[in-house]
Amino acid sequence: MTDVQDREESRTQRDVLIRARGIRKSFGSQQVLRGIDLDVQSGEVCCVIGPSGSGKSTLLRCINHLEKLDGGQIHVGGELIGYRRSGNRLHELSVREAARQRAGIGMVFQRFNLFPHRTALENVMEGPRQVKREPAAEVRERALALLGRVGLRDKAGSYPAQLSGGQQQRVAIARALAMRPQVMLFDEPTSALDPELVGEVLETMRSLAEEGMTMIIVTHEIGFAREVADTLIFIDEGVIVEQGPPRDVIAAPSHERTRAFLSKVL
Ligand code: ADP
Ligand code: MG
């Protein structure tokens, strides 16, 4: 490789934060992901849409190694997900190593998944304390700041059951941020919310986007995707059918399948 190619290669490696190549995943005889290639640049917001059962959640779960791939490779921040290279062989990461790696990838689910017997503050402190063993005082300070950032500084002492769905979801976002992730993955974060609570969660994600967080967001909120996403991806039956700037994909989809899907959700 020439110096120029070498430099070019390392530059693209640095700018691309998430790189997936040839991702395949089956459950039994069902092929759920059938060759996904995906690049997400540092600071990019990528929204993913597609019918129920098309593989969107499975794709996110593969990126943080909650699912093991049947084929392909994923790099996040240049680091191979789920495996460690030794010589020219790949070894699966141990549970501990995988947990450490996963700590760099924030994930927010449809259901809030907060610990019910811990306060908002304790929920946000949990990861840095238990996984990273960071000092309590420092973690507490950061957790309070993060609760402030999602507009819930005054709810630090509340338990999940005392919070609305939208507030719980914002605590879940603060909890993911507490691990200082290099990317955030959102799996339909507003789908379980009452309609009047959707906006506050979308606003929180919008402000993260403005701060330059790299994000993949599976969502049916097309208006949000149009305004906030840099890239909109349409997945159907385990393949990326179409991707591009959201306005282009929404206004002029080039595939019939995308058109048919959008006509149902718009
Ligand atoms: P989406 O998020 O797009 O609705 P999913 O990725 O959740 O789709 O699921 C894609 C397909 O894979 C569905 O048919 C689903 O039933 C199946 N699937 C997902 N997870 C599992 C699993 N752990 N075991 C078996 N089948 C699964
Ligand atoms: Mg899903």
Side-chain angles (χ1 to χ4, degrees):
M1 202 184 257
T2 67
D3 277 359
V4 172
Q5 281 175 326
D6 213 17
R7 263 202 309 280
E8 189 62 20
E9 184 64 19
S10 69
R11 190 183 63 77
T12 52
Q13 290 295 336
R14 191 171 60 242
D15 294 345
V16 175
L17 206 48
I18 304 173
R19 162 162 295 178
R21 285 292 176 274
I23 301 312
R24 288 187 295 108
K25 177 68 188 175
S26 298
F27 294 107
S29 60
Q30 188 194 4
Q31 286 194 310
V32 173
L33 298 178
R34 299 186 297 146
I36 300 268
D37 293 332
L38 178 68
D39 279 339
V40 181
Q41 309 282 319
S42 180
E44 182 175 345
V45 178
C46 173
C47 281
V48 178
I49 57 172
S52 177
S54 57
K56 305 179 299 296
S57 296
T58 303
L59 175 62
L60 292 191
R61 292 171 57 80
C62 286
I63 292 173
N64 72 354
H65 200 51
L66 290 171
E67 300 288 353
K68 198 177 157 187
L69 303 182
D70 295 324
Q73 289 191 336
I74 300 173
H75 287 83
V76 175
E79 197 176 319
L80 181 62
I81 293 297
Y83 296 87
R84 160 167 58 76
R85 218 176 273 286
S86 120
N88 52 7
R89 297 190 51 192
L90 293 181
H91 298 274
E92 200 173 350
L93 295 183
S94 68
V95 171
R96 182 195 292 266
E97 289 168 325
R100 184 202 53 77
Q101 189 173 63
R102 200 172 289 131
I105 303 172
M107 182 127 180
V108 176
F109 300 90
Q110 183 173 341
R111 296 265 162 208
F112 327 121
N113 300 109
L114 298 176
F115 298 112
H117 302 300
R118 305 231 162 97
T119 63
L121 179 63
E122 288 163 352
N123 266 280
V124 177
M125 290 179 63
E126 179 75 16
R129 290 289 292 143
Q130 298 306 317
V131 179
K132 293 190 163 178
R133 306 272 173 206
E134 293 178 53
E138 206 177 296
V139 171
R140 185 187 163 83
E141 190 110 327
R142 190 159 90 236
L144 286 170
L146 284 169
L147 284 173
R149 187 158 153 198
V150 301
L152 293 173
R153 178 64 186 80
D154 58 330
K155 299 289 184 191
S158 301
Y159 288 88
Q162 299 170 315
L163 300 172
S164 72
Q167 290 170 333
Q168 288 182 53
Q169 197 60 311
R170 286 186 282 149
V171 173
I173 293 171
R175 186 174 63 170
L177 292 172
M179 296 295 275
R180 305 187 204 272
Q182 42 179 348
V183 305
M184 288 280 285
L185 310 177
F186 293 89
D187 193 359
E188 300 197 33
T190 61
S191 298
L193 297 176
D194 291 334
E196 73 272 22
L197 304 177
V198 168
E200 63 194 63
V201 175
L202 296 181
E203 269 319 302
T204 302
M205 291 195 288
R206 184 197 302 266
S207 74
L208 278 181
E210 283 164 2
E211 289 164 27
M213 178 61 79
T214 308
M215 305 196 274
I216 300 181
I217 305 170
V218 175
T219 184
H220 295 301
E221 298 288 336
I222 299 290
F224 171 83
R226 179 173 21 218
E227 286 172 37
V228 178
D230 300 297
T231 309
L232 182 61
I233 291 181
F234 172 63
I235 292 188
D236 195 14
E237 296 179 359
V239 296
I240 293 180
V241 174
E242 184 154 4
Q243 63 179 310
R247 277 161 212 280
D248 297 357
V249 173
I250 293 164
S254 36
H255 290 78
E256 180 49 38
R257 282 199 275 173
T258 319
R259 234 187 310 273
F261 176 78
L262 285 171
S263 74
K264 284 181 213 150
V265 295
L266 280 175

